Amino acid sequence: MRKIIILLLSIVLIISLTACGQDDFEKFVEATKKTDAIKRGQEEIVTVLEFDFNIEGLSDEEIKALNYLKKIKSKFYITFDCESNKIIARSYYNFSGLGFDSEFYMNEGKSFIKVPIISKYIKIDDVTDENSQYEFMSEETCEAIKNKWMEIVKQDDVFTGKRSIMSTPDGEVKVTNYKIRLDEKIIKEFLNYFIEVIYKDEKFKENFEAYLKQVSNEKVKMDFDKIYFNFKKMLDNSSIKEFNYDAFIDIDGYIVKESIEMKLELEKSMERVINSIKFSLQNKRWSIGKKQKFEFPEIKEKDIIPFEEMGKGIPFMIEDIFKNE
């Protein structure tokens, strides 16, 4: 079940939804391409993942661990300049009231993560090479997913909403709201295709297994096939109760705010630990294209620890969640 939660988090954060009457469709696609090409700016990303668990038959320790996962909230504040390979990303995580924060720095190819609590840093290999091993899945898979989505989405799923004024750190901006409201059949068709494609992607499999081994401190033997079939079974035995997507495009053609809401319920006839999952995401962008100010910490050799010691900065409940069952 823990592996399924991790897979859900990964899939939700990977999917990028696009669709729209003909003129709206073209405008939205153009805004998506333009936004993806932003080289400098700032972002705020807030996600909330809420679980309703079936605790019947579980031990007190298992119930205690699940209670921390009832509501997982994360906030990311990102300042970036892709042309000079500089990023500062500050993140905050809250697990049903228990919170911790972390920081990521990249300066001209040298990358570090500040570990919470112990205030030490982990050095990360160069991740700036576009053709490096850090691409999570192949270009072919990304293209197939994008093409499938555009194929199944109907143009009347997206329409132009009201024009309004939105407050940003840059001041008041005029925006146009585009909405997507999709039914369960379309979403399930896409999600089933999505998991089939990534299951066949060897690069995704290799990287995902490596990721799971890292967060579990290599104590858990991974079975990618089992994770795949468990998730597919859960999807087949679930109902998607709502899906809402809103994009706010400014007069310069950038998506300055996005909002996604989705709720999934599992059928009662299925033996399960999860009754329902509710996910929401809000993404705001500003200072687009402007020169950014970066203040990097002075990191000395004594401040750097091996990756294996990262668990020392993780709150006890998160460490327990990823222990070998």
Side-chain angles (χ1 to χ4, degrees):
M1 189 278 298
R2 297 167 186 171
K3 302 180 187 69
I4 291 176
I5 291 175
I6 297 171
L7 184 58
L8 280 169
L9 285 166
S10 301
I11 288 177
V12 165
L13 294 177
I14 290 173
I15 298 174
S16 178
L17 300 171
T18 58
C20 307
Q22 184 64 37
D23 290 342
D24 292 336
F25 178 80
E26 293 175 354
K27 291 177 182 177
F28 187 83
V29 170
E30 184 61 33
T32 301
K33 291 178 180 178
K34 191 171 183 179
T35 303
D36 288 342
I38 294 174
K39 299 296 183 182
R40 294 187 294 188
Q42 297 183 43
E43 282 189 83
E44 177 191 88
I45 303 171
V46 180
T47 66
V48 179
L49 192 60
E50 297 179 80
F51 292 93
D52 177 35
F53 294 108
N54 174 20
I55 61 174
E56 184 178 352
L58 299 181
S59 67
D60 291 342
E61 289 186 1
E62 289 174 322
I63 294 173
K64 179 182 177 181
L66 289 178
N67 282 338
Y68 286 109
L69 296 175
K70 282 186 174 181
K71 187 173 184 179
I72 303 171
K73 186 174 183 179
S74 63
K75 290 184 179 180
F76 304 90
Y77 301 92
I78 306 168
T79 302
F80 63 94
D81 186 331
C82 299
E83 295 177 344
S84 60
N85 291 327
K86 292 183 179 181
I87 298 174
I88 294 179
R90 294 182 170 88
S91 56
Y92 175 77
Y93 304 88
N94 187 294
F95 292 78
S96 296
L98 180 63
F100 68 97
D101 55 17
S102 184
E103 297 171 5
F104 171 82
Y105 300 96
M106 184 170 76
N107 187 8
E108 298 179 347
K110 295 181 180 180
S111 304
F112 297 87
I113 293 178
K114 185 178 181 180
V115 182
I117 300 177
I118 62 175
S119 295
K120 295 289 185 178
Y121 296 86
I122 294 173
K123 188 176 181 180
I124 302 175
D125 292 336
D126 185 3
V127 296
T128 60
D129 182 0
E130 293 182 358
N131 298 313
S132 74
Q133 60 179 316
Y134 295 96
E135 291 179 344
F136 207 74
M137 64 176 66
S138 68
E139 291 185 11
E140 292 80 8
T141 296
C142 293
E143 193 65 22
I145 292 170
K146 177 182 176 181
N147 291 339
K148 181 62 177 178
W149 180 256
M150 300 304 290
E151 174 188 322
I152 67 174
V153 165
K154 297 178 180 178
Q155 291 183 355
D156 56 4
D157 287 328
V158 175
F159 54 93
T160 304
K162 294 181 179 179
R163 289 175 172 80
S164 61
I165 303 295
M166 188 175 77
S167 296
T168 74
D170 287 334
E172 302 290 314
V173 297
K174 295 180 180 179
V175 295
T176 303
N177 180 203
Y178 290 79
K179 298 176 180 287
I180 300 176
R181 302 292 184 263
L182 301 180
D183 60 31
E184 181 179 41
K185 181 180 178 181
I186 291 179
I187 298 172
K188 278 199 170 185
E189 180 183 345
F190 176 70
L191 289 178
N192 274 298
Y193 179 84
F194 179 88
I195 61 176
E196 290 286 347
V197 171
I198 64 172
Y199 176 67
K200 297 175 182 177
D201 188 331
E202 290 300 322
K203 175 173 281 191
F204 178 86
K205 180 178 180 180
E206 178 182 346
N207 288 330
F208 191 73
E209 286 183 337
Y211 167 74
L212 287 180
K213 287 179 181 178
Q214 288 177 351
V215 298
S216 62
N217 295 323
E218 299 187 353
K219 295 179 181 179
V220 181
K221 183 179 180 180
M222 295 300 139
D223 186 338
F224 185 77
D225 289 344
K226 186 175 182 180
I227 295 174
Y228 161 75
F229 287 114
N230 282 343
F231 183 78
K232 187 169 177 55
K233 180 181 178 181
M234 186 183 70
L235 183 61
D236 292 341
N237 290 275
S238 65
S239 300
I240 298 174
K241 294 301 181 181
E242 63 181 64
F243 177 87
N244 303 315
Y245 173 88
D246 288 83
F248 297 83
I249 300 176
D250 68 6
I251 57 174
D252 295 320
Y254 293 108
I255 301 176
V256 293
K257 181 181 176 181
E258 291 177 278
S259 175
I260 298 174
E261 293 181 347
M262 180 175 175
K263 184 176 182 180
L264 181 147
E265 291 184 358
L266 273 67
E267 295 180 4
K268 294 183 179 180
S269 59
M270 182 182 177
E271 183 180 352
R272 70 204 189 287
V273 175
I274 302 173
N275 292 326
S276 65
I277 305 167
K278 189 173 182 180
F279 172 78
S280 67
L281 178 148
Q282 282 201 4
N283 188 354
K284 298 178 182 178
R285 302 177 180 93
W286 66 93
S287 192
I288 297 172
K290 297 180 180 179
K291 184 177 181 180
Q292 303 300 313
K293 182 180 180 181
F294 296 89
E295 295 183 1
F296 294 101
E298 182 181 353
I299 302 175
K300 300 180 180 179
E301 199 64 33
K302 65 182 180 66
D303 299 321
I304 301 173
I305 61 172
F307 181 86
E308 293 73 20
E309 296 187 30
M310 183 173 180
K312 294 181 179 179
I314 300 177
F316 71 92
M317 44 72 57
I318 300 178
E319 187 176 4
D320 288 344
I321 289 169
F322 294 114
K323 282 182 178 178
N324 190 351
E325 298 177 344

PDB file of all heavy atoms in Angstrom, residues 260-289:
ATOM      1  N   ILE A 260      -5.754  22.298 -10.105  1.00  0.00           N
ATOM      2  CA  ILE A 260      -6.257  20.957 -10.424  1.00  0.00           C
ATOM      3  C   ILE A 260      -6.905  20.369  -9.177  1.00  0.00           C
ATOM      4  O   ILE A 260      -6.344  20.432  -8.085  1.00  0.00           O
ATOM      5  CB  ILE A 260      -5.131  20.020 -10.888  1.00  0.00           C
ATOM      6  CG1 ILE A 260      -4.485  20.537 -12.165  1.00  0.00           C
ATOM      7  CG2 ILE A 260      -5.667  18.602 -11.130  1.00  0.00           C
ATOM      8  CD1 ILE A 260      -3.272  19.734 -12.601  1.00  0.00           C
ATOM      9  N   GLU A 261      -8.090  19.775  -9.337  1.00  0.00           N
ATOM     10  CA  GLU A 261      -8.757  19.057  -8.255  1.00  0.00           C
ATOM     11  C   GLU A 261      -9.256  17.727  -8.793  1.00  0.00           C
ATOM     12  O   GLU A 261      -9.826  17.662  -9.886  1.00  0.00           O
ATOM     13  CB  GLU A 261      -9.935  19.860  -7.699  1.00  0.00           C
ATOM     14  CG  GLU A 261      -9.535  21.138  -6.992  1.00  0.00           C
ATOM     15  CD  GLU A 261     -10.741  21.886  -6.442  1.00  0.00           C
ATOM     16  OE1 GLU A 261     -11.878  21.533  -6.841  1.00  0.00           O
ATOM     17  OE2 GLU A 261     -10.554  22.798  -5.631  1.00  0.00           O
ATOM     18  N   MET A 262      -9.036  16.666  -8.018  1.00  0.00           N
ATOM     19  CA  MET A 262      -9.442  15.332  -8.468  1.00  0.00           C
ATOM     20  C   MET A 262      -9.765  14.484  -7.249  1.00  0.00           C
ATOM     21  O   MET A 262      -9.060  14.528  -6.239  1.00  0.00           O
ATOM     22  CB  MET A 262      -8.317  14.691  -9.287  1.00  0.00           C
ATOM     23  CG  MET A 262      -8.623  13.305  -9.810  1.00  0.00           C
ATOM     24  SD  MET A 262      -7.280  12.717 -10.884  1.00  0.00           S
ATOM     25  CE  MET A 262      -7.834  11.036 -11.210  1.00  0.00           C
ATOM     26  N   LYS A 263     -10.842  13.690  -7.337  1.00  0.00           N
ATOM     27  CA  LYS A 263     -11.213  12.776  -6.254  1.00  0.00           C
ATOM     28  C   LYS A 263     -11.480  11.394  -6.816  1.00  0.00           C
ATOM     29  O   LYS A 263     -12.194  11.236  -7.806  1.00  0.00           O
ATOM     30  CB  LYS A 263     -12.440  13.277  -5.494  1.00  0.00           C
ATOM     31  CG  LYS A 263     -12.789  12.398  -4.287  1.00  0.00           C
ATOM     32  CD  LYS A 263     -13.948  12.956  -3.479  1.00  0.00           C
ATOM     33  CE  LYS A 263     -14.227  12.069  -2.270  1.00  0.00           C
ATOM     34  NZ  LYS A 263     -15.359  12.584  -1.460  1.00  0.00           N
ATOM     35  N   LEU A 264     -10.893  10.389  -6.156  1.00  0.00           N
ATOM     36  CA  LEU A 264     -11.037   9.002  -6.580  1.00  0.00           C
ATOM     37  C   LEU A 264     -11.532   8.173  -5.402  1.00  0.00           C
ATOM     38  O   LEU A 264     -11.013   8.299  -4.286  1.00  0.00           O
ATOM     39  CB  LEU A 264      -9.685   8.484  -7.080  1.00  0.00           C
ATOM     40  CG  LEU A 264      -9.573   7.053  -7.603  1.00  0.00           C
ATOM     41  CD1 LEU A 264      -8.541   6.990  -8.729  1.00  0.00           C
ATOM     42  CD2 LEU A 264      -9.178   6.079  -6.500  1.00  0.00           C
ATOM     43  N   GLU A 265     -12.552   7.339  -5.633  1.00  0.00           N
ATOM     44  CA  GLU A 265     -13.080   6.466  -4.590  1.00  0.00           C
ATOM     45  C   GLU A 265     -12.940   5.006  -5.005  1.00  0.00           C
ATOM     46  O   GLU A 265     -13.195   4.660  -6.159  1.00  0.00           O
ATOM     47  CB  GLU A 265     -14.560   6.779  -4.314  1.00  0.00           C
ATOM     48  CG  GLU A 265     -14.791   8.132  -3.657  1.00  0.00           C
ATOM     49  CD  GLU A 265     -16.250   8.355  -3.306  1.00  0.00           C
ATOM     50  OE1 GLU A 265     -17.081   7.458  -3.621  1.00  0.00           O
ATOM     51  OE2 GLU A 265     -16.564   9.405  -2.731  1.00  0.00           O
ATOM     52  N   LEU A 266     -12.527   4.157  -4.048  1.00  0.00           N
ATOM     53  CA  LEU A 266     -12.421   2.734  -4.326  1.00  0.00           C
ATOM     54  C   LEU A 266     -13.727   2.035  -3.989  1.00  0.00           C
ATOM     55  O   LEU A 266     -14.409   2.403  -3.025  1.00  0.00           O
ATOM     56  CB  LEU A 266     -11.275   2.109  -3.514  1.00  0.00           C
ATOM     57  CG  LEU A 266      -9.898   2.170  -4.174  1.00  0.00           C
ATOM     58  CD1 LEU A 266      -9.407   3.604  -4.270  1.00  0.00           C
ATOM     59  CD2 LEU A 266      -8.896   1.313  -3.425  1.00  0.00           C
ATOM     60  N   GLU A 267     -14.061   1.031  -4.794  1.00  0.00           N
ATOM     61  CA  GLU A 267     -15.299   0.287  -4.577  1.00  0.00           C
ATOM     62  C   GLU A 267     -15.233  -0.478  -3.262  1.00  0.00           C
ATOM     63  O   GLU A 267     -14.204  -1.034  -2.895  1.00  0.00           O
ATOM     64  CB  GLU A 267     -15.549  -0.678  -5.735  1.00  0.00           C
ATOM     65  CG  GLU A 267     -15.805   0.026  -7.063  1.00  0.00           C
ATOM     66  CD  GLU A 267     -16.041  -0.956  -8.192  1.00  0.00           C
ATOM     67  OE1 GLU A 267     -16.076  -2.164  -7.919  1.00  0.00           O
ATOM     68  OE2 GLU A 267     -16.198  -0.507  -9.341  1.00  0.00           O
ATOM     69  N   LYS A 268     -16.353  -0.523  -2.552  1.00  0.00           N
ATOM     70  CA  LYS A 268     -16.407  -1.182  -1.250  1.00  0.00           C
ATOM     71  C   LYS A 268     -16.201  -2.690  -1.351  1.00  0.00           C
ATOM     72  O   LYS A 268     -15.793  -3.335  -0.384  1.00  0.00           O
ATOM     73  CB  LYS A 268     -17.736  -0.882  -0.572  1.00  0.00           C
ATOM     74  CG  LYS A 268     -17.910   0.592  -0.202  1.00  0.00           C
ATOM     75  CD  LYS A 268     -19.210   0.831   0.521  1.00  0.00           C
ATOM     76  CE  LYS A 268     -19.342   2.298   0.905  1.00  0.00           C
ATOM     77  NZ  LYS A 268     -20.616   2.565   1.625  1.00  0.00           N
ATOM     78  N   SER A 269     -16.468  -3.240  -2.519  1.00  0.00           N
ATOM     79  CA  SER A 269     -16.326  -4.690  -2.686  1.00  0.00           C
ATOM     80  C   SER A 269     -14.865  -5.121  -2.753  1.00  0.00           C
ATOM     81  O   SER A 269     -14.538  -6.289  -2.608  1.00  0.00           O
ATOM     82  CB  SER A 269     -17.038  -5.140  -3.967  1.00  0.00           C
ATOM     83  OG  SER A 269     -16.486  -4.479  -5.088  1.00  0.00           O
ATOM     84  N   MET A 270     -13.958  -4.154  -2.940  1.00  0.00           N
ATOM     85  CA  MET A 270     -12.535  -4.465  -3.085  1.00  0.00           C
ATOM     86  C   MET A 270     -11.852  -4.469  -1.722  1.00  0.00           C
ATOM     87  O   MET A 270     -12.059  -3.594  -0.902  1.00  0.00           O
ATOM     88  CB  MET A 270     -11.867  -3.421  -3.983  1.00  0.00           C
ATOM     89  CG  MET A 270     -10.392  -3.668  -4.233  1.00  0.00           C
ATOM     90  SD  MET A 270      -9.669  -2.348  -5.242  1.00  0.00           S
ATOM     91  CE  MET A 270      -7.953  -2.868  -5.284  1.00  0.00           C
ATOM     92  N   GLU A 271     -11.037  -5.508  -1.467  1.00  0.00           N
ATOM     93  CA  GLU A 271     -10.251  -5.545  -0.243  1.00  0.00           C
ATOM     94  C   GLU A 271      -9.234  -4.407  -0.308  1.00  0.00           C
ATOM     95  O   GLU A 271      -8.394  -4.367  -1.188  1.00  0.00           O
ATOM     96  CB  GLU A 271      -9.537  -6.882  -0.118  1.00  0.00           C
ATOM     97  CG  GLU A 271      -8.751  -7.026   1.176  1.00  0.00           C
ATOM     98  CD  GLU A 271      -8.045  -8.366   1.282  1.00  0.00           C
ATOM     99  OE1 GLU A 271      -8.289  -9.222   0.419  1.00  0.00           O
ATOM    100  OE2 GLU A 271      -7.255  -8.533   2.212  1.00  0.00           O
ATOM    101  N   ARG A 272      -9.296  -3.486   0.638  1.00  0.00           N
ATOM    102  CA  ARG A 272      -8.525  -2.275   0.467  1.00  0.00           C
ATOM    103  C   ARG A 272      -8.137  -1.649   1.795  1.00  0.00           C
ATOM    104  O   ARG A 272      -8.744  -1.924   2.829  1.00  0.00           O
ATOM    105  CB  ARG A 272      -9.321  -1.255  -0.341  1.00  0.00           C
ATOM    106  CG  ARG A 272     -10.503  -0.687   0.446  1.00  0.00           C
ATOM    107  CD  ARG A 272     -11.595  -0.157  -0.449  1.00  0.00           C
ATOM    108  NE  ARG A 272     -12.603   0.557   0.302  1.00  0.00           N
ATOM    109  CZ  ARG A 272     -13.503  -0.018   1.102  1.00  0.00           C
ATOM    110  NH1 ARG A 272     -13.486  -1.319   1.260  1.00  0.00           N
ATOM    111  NH2 ARG A 272     -14.404   0.703   1.743  1.00  0.00           N
ATOM    112  N   VAL A 273      -7.128  -0.788   1.761  1.00  0.00           N
ATOM    113  CA  VAL A 273      -6.769   0.048   2.893  1.00  0.00           C
ATOM    114  C   VAL A 273      -7.223   1.479   2.633  1.00  0.00           C
ATOM    115  O   VAL A 273      -7.549   2.216   3.544  1.00  0.00           O
ATOM    116  CB  VAL A 273      -5.244   0.000   3.135  1.00  0.00           C
ATOM    117  CG1 VAL A 273      -4.840   0.969   4.241  1.00  0.00           C
ATOM    118  CG2 VAL A 273      -4.802  -1.410   3.500  1.00  0.00           C
ATOM    119  N   ILE A 274      -7.282   1.876   1.368  1.00  0.00           N
ATOM    120  CA  ILE A 274      -7.686   3.229   0.995  1.00  0.00           C
ATOM    121  C   ILE A 274      -9.147   3.236   0.546  1.00  0.00           C
ATOM    122  O   ILE A 274      -9.540   2.468  -0.340  1.00  0.00           O
ATOM    123  CB  ILE A 274      -6.806   3.756  -0.147  1.00  0.00           C
ATOM    124  CG1 ILE A 274      -5.334   3.733   0.260  1.00  0.00           C
ATOM    125  CG2 ILE A 274      -7.221   5.166  -0.531  1.00  0.00           C
ATOM    126  CD1 ILE A 274      -4.388   4.087  -0.867  1.00  0.00           C
ATOM    127  N   ASN A 275      -9.965   4.092   1.163  1.00  0.00           N
ATOM    128  CA  ASN A 275     -11.346   4.273   0.722  1.00  0.00           C
ATOM    129  C   ASN A 275     -11.437   5.300  -0.403  1.00  0.00           C
ATOM    130  O   ASN A 275     -12.142   5.095  -1.388  1.00  0.00           O
ATOM    131  CB  ASN A 275     -12.225   4.733   1.886  1.00  0.00           C
ATOM    132  CG  ASN A 275     -12.403   3.658   2.932  1.00  0.00           C
ATOM    133  OD1 ASN A 275     -12.451   2.469   2.617  1.00  0.00           O
ATOM    134  ND2 ASN A 275     -12.494   4.067   4.187  1.00  0.00           N
ATOM    135  N   SER A 276     -10.721   6.406  -0.235  1.00  0.00           N
ATOM    136  CA  SER A 276     -10.777   7.461  -1.245  1.00  0.00           C
ATOM    137  C   SER A 276      -9.512   8.306  -1.187  1.00  0.00           C
ATOM    138  O   SER A 276      -8.800   8.328  -0.174  1.00  0.00           O
ATOM    139  CB  SER A 276     -12.004   8.356  -1.052  1.00  0.00           C
ATOM    140  OG  SER A 276     -11.910   9.067   0.169  1.00  0.00           O
ATOM    141  N   ILE A 277      -9.234   8.998  -2.300  1.00  0.00           N
ATOM    142  CA  ILE A 277      -8.088   9.881  -2.421  1.00  0.00           C
ATOM    143  C   ILE A 277      -8.568  11.189  -3.026  1.00  0.00           C
ATOM    144  O   ILE A 277      -9.268  11.191  -4.042  1.00  0.00           O
ATOM    145  CB  ILE A 277      -6.996   9.283  -3.328  1.00  0.00           C
ATOM    146  CG1 ILE A 277      -6.580   7.898  -2.837  1.00  0.00           C
ATOM    147  CG2 ILE A 277      -5.789  10.213  -3.411  1.00  0.00           C
ATOM    148  CD1 ILE A 277      -5.761   7.132  -3.843  1.00  0.00           C
ATOM    149  N   LYS A 278      -8.197  12.292  -2.428  1.00  0.00           N
ATOM    150  CA  LYS A 278      -8.524  13.608  -2.973  1.00  0.00           C
ATOM    151  C   LYS A 278      -7.238  14.384  -3.155  1.00  0.00           C
ATOM    152  O   LYS A 278      -6.413  14.465  -2.236  1.00  0.00           O
ATOM    153  CB  LYS A 278      -9.475  14.357  -2.039  1.00  0.00           C
ATOM    154  CG  LYS A 278     -10.030  15.645  -2.645  1.00  0.00           C
ATOM    155  CD  LYS A 278     -11.100  16.265  -1.754  1.00  0.00           C
ATOM    156  CE  LYS A 278     -11.676  17.511  -2.390  1.00  0.00           C
ATOM    157  NZ  LYS A 278     -12.724  18.127  -1.547  1.00  0.00           N
ATOM    158  N   PHE A 279      -7.063  14.947  -4.344  1.00  0.00           N
ATOM    159  CA  PHE A 279      -5.829  15.657  -4.662  1.00  0.00           C
ATOM    160  C   PHE A 279      -6.143  17.045  -5.197  1.00  0.00           C
ATOM    161  O   PHE A 279      -7.077  17.238  -5.966  1.00  0.00           O
ATOM    162  CB  PHE A 279      -5.028  14.880  -5.709  1.00  0.00           C
ATOM    163  CG  PHE A 279      -3.839  15.631  -6.242  1.00  0.00           C
ATOM    164  CD1 PHE A 279      -2.676  15.723  -5.510  1.00  0.00           C
ATOM    165  CD2 PHE A 279      -3.899  16.274  -7.475  1.00  0.00           C
ATOM    166  CE1 PHE A 279      -1.573  16.427  -5.987  1.00  0.00           C
ATOM    167  CE2 PHE A 279      -2.811  16.978  -7.966  1.00  0.00           C
ATOM    168  CZ  PHE A 279      -1.645  17.051  -7.229  1.00  0.00           C
ATOM    169  N   SER A 280      -5.352  18.011  -4.772  1.00  0.00           N
ATOM    170  CA  SER A 280      -5.475  19.364  -5.324  1.00  0.00           C
ATOM    171  C   SER A 280      -4.086  19.959  -5.508  1.00  0.00           C
ATOM    172  O   SER A 280      -3.153  19.643  -4.765  1.00  0.00           O
ATOM    173  CB  SER A 280      -6.317  20.262  -4.416  1.00  0.00           C
ATOM    174  OG  SER A 280      -5.655  20.489  -3.187  1.00  0.00           O
ATOM    175  N   LEU A 281      -3.947  20.785  -6.530  1.00  0.00           N
ATOM    176  CA  LEU A 281      -2.679  21.458  -6.824  1.00  0.00           C
ATOM    177  C   LEU A 281      -2.947  22.875  -7.288  1.00  0.00           C
ATOM    178  O   LEU A 281      -3.863  23.113  -8.081  1.00  0.00           O
ATOM    179  CB  LEU A 281      -1.901  20.683  -7.892  1.00  0.00           C
ATOM    180  CG  LEU A 281      -0.560  21.278  -8.360  1.00  0.00           C
ATOM    181  CD1 LEU A 281       0.404  20.164  -8.740  1.00  0.00           C
ATOM    182  CD2 LEU A 281      -0.747  22.215  -9.554  1.00  0.00           C
ATOM    183  N   GLN A 282      -2.150  23.805  -6.799  1.00  0.00           N
ATOM    184  CA  GLN A 282      -2.197  25.187  -7.287  1.00  0.00           C
ATOM    185  C   GLN A 282      -0.776  25.632  -7.614  1.00  0.00           C
ATOM    186  O   GLN A 282       0.136  25.445  -6.807  1.00  0.00           O
ATOM    187  CB  GLN A 282      -2.817  26.125  -6.248  1.00  0.00           C
ATOM    188  CG  GLN A 282      -4.321  26.042  -6.182  1.00  0.00           C
ATOM    189  CD  GLN A 282      -4.955  27.278  -5.562  1.00  0.00           C
ATOM    190  OE1 GLN A 282      -4.279  28.258  -5.235  1.00  0.00           O
ATOM    191  NE2 GLN A 282      -6.259  27.258  -5.410  1.00  0.00           N
ATOM    192  N   ASN A 283      -0.627  26.199  -8.788  1.00  0.00           N
ATOM    193  CA  ASN A 283       0.692  26.630  -9.258  1.00  0.00           C
ATOM    194  C   ASN A 283       0.594  28.083  -9.716  1.00  0.00           C
ATOM    195  O   ASN A 283      -0.205  28.402 -10.592  1.00  0.00           O
ATOM    196  CB  ASN A 283       1.139  25.730 -10.411  1.00  0.00           C
ATOM    197  CG  ASN A 283       2.574  25.995 -10.826  1.00  0.00           C
ATOM    198  OD1 ASN A 283       3.209  26.925 -10.339  1.00  0.00           O
ATOM    199  ND2 ASN A 283       3.080  25.200 -11.745  1.00  0.00           N
ATOM    200  N   LYS A 284       1.390  28.959  -9.106  1.00  0.00           N
ATOM    201  CA  LYS A 284       1.416  30.367  -9.486  1.00  0.00           C
ATOM    202  C   LYS A 284       2.793  30.727 -10.025  1.00  0.00           C
ATOM    203  O   LYS A 284       3.806  30.249  -9.514  1.00  0.00           O
ATOM    204  CB  LYS A 284       1.077  31.258  -8.288  1.00  0.00           C
ATOM    205  CG  LYS A 284      -0.320  31.038  -7.728  1.00  0.00           C
ATOM    206  CD  LYS A 284      -0.560  31.933  -6.518  1.00  0.00           C
ATOM    207  CE  LYS A 284      -1.938  31.704  -5.908  1.00  0.00           C
ATOM    208  NZ  LYS A 284      -2.151  32.548  -4.707  1.00  0.00           N
ATOM    209  N   ARG A 285       2.838  31.579 -11.051  1.00  0.00           N
ATOM    210  CA  ARG A 285       4.099  32.011 -11.663  1.00  0.00           C
ATOM    211  C   ARG A 285       4.138  33.536 -11.741  1.00  0.00           C
ATOM    212  O   ARG A 285       3.130  34.171 -12.043  1.00  0.00           O
ATOM    213  CB  ARG A 285       4.237  31.425 -13.071  1.00  0.00           C
ATOM    214  CG  ARG A 285       4.189  29.906 -13.125  1.00  0.00           C
ATOM    215  CD  ARG A 285       4.265  29.398 -14.567  1.00  0.00           C
ATOM    216  NE  ARG A 285       4.221  27.940 -14.627  1.00  0.00           N
ATOM    217  CZ  ARG A 285       3.123  27.235 -14.786  1.00  0.00           C
ATOM    218  NH1 ARG A 285       1.953  27.869 -14.906  1.00  0.00           N
ATOM    219  NH2 ARG A 285       3.163  25.913 -14.824  1.00  0.00           N
ATOM    220  N   TRP A 286       5.311  34.100 -11.496  1.00  0.00           N
ATOM    221  CA  TRP A 286       5.479  35.549 -11.621  1.00  0.00           C
ATOM    222  C   TRP A 286       6.946  35.860 -11.891  1.00  0.00           C
ATOM    223  O   TRP A 286       7.782  34.957 -11.978  1.00  0.00           O
ATOM    224  CB  TRP A 286       4.983  36.263 -10.360  1.00  0.00           C
ATOM    225  CG  TRP A 286       5.760  35.988  -9.121  1.00  0.00           C
ATOM    226  CD1 TRP A 286       6.807  36.705  -8.628  1.00  0.00           C
ATOM    227  CD2 TRP A 286       5.573  34.907  -8.200  1.00  0.00           C
ATOM    228  NE1 TRP A 286       7.283  36.156  -7.467  1.00  0.00           N
ATOM    229  CE2 TRP A 286       6.543  35.045  -7.182  1.00  0.00           C
ATOM    230  CE3 TRP A 286       4.686  33.836  -8.152  1.00  0.00           C
ATOM    231  CZ2 TRP A 286       6.641  34.152  -6.120  1.00  0.00           C
ATOM    232  CZ3 TRP A 286       4.789  32.941  -7.093  1.00  0.00           C
ATOM    233  CH2 TRP A 286       5.746  33.104  -6.093  1.00  0.00           C
ATOM    234  N   SER A 287       7.249  37.130 -12.041  1.00  0.00           N
ATOM    235  CA  SER A 287       8.612  37.583 -12.350  1.00  0.00           C
ATOM    236  C   SER A 287       9.148  36.868 -13.595  1.00  0.00           C
ATOM    237  O   SER A 287      10.340  36.578 -13.702  1.00  0.00           O
ATOM    238  CB  SER A 287       9.536  37.323 -11.150  1.00  0.00           C
ATOM    239  OG  SER A 287      10.764  37.998 -11.308  1.00  0.00           O
ATOM    240  N   ILE A 288       8.252  36.586 -14.539  1.00  0.00           N
ATOM    241  CA  ILE A 288       8.602  35.796 -15.726  1.00  0.00           C
ATOM    242  C   ILE A 288       9.556  36.574 -16.635  1.00  0.00           C
ATOM    243  O   ILE A 288       9.282  37.702 -17.026  1.00  0.00           O
ATOM    244  CB  ILE A 288       7.326  35.406 -16.503  1.00  0.00           C
ATOM    245  CG1 ILE A 288       6.440  34.500 -15.630  1.00  0.00           C
ATOM    246  CG2 ILE A 288       7.669  34.697 -17.807  1.00  0.00           C
ATOM    247  CD1 ILE A 288       5.081  34.208 -16.221  1.00  0.00           C
ATOM    248  N   GLY A 289      10.683  35.944 -16.944  1.00  0.00           N
ATOM    249  CA  GLY A 289      11.658  36.534 -17.844  1.00  0.00           C
ATOM    250  C   GLY A 289      12.558  37.585 -17.222  1.00  0.00           C
ATOM    251  O   GLY A 289      13.472  38.089 -17.889  1.00  0.00           O
TER     252      GLY A 289
END
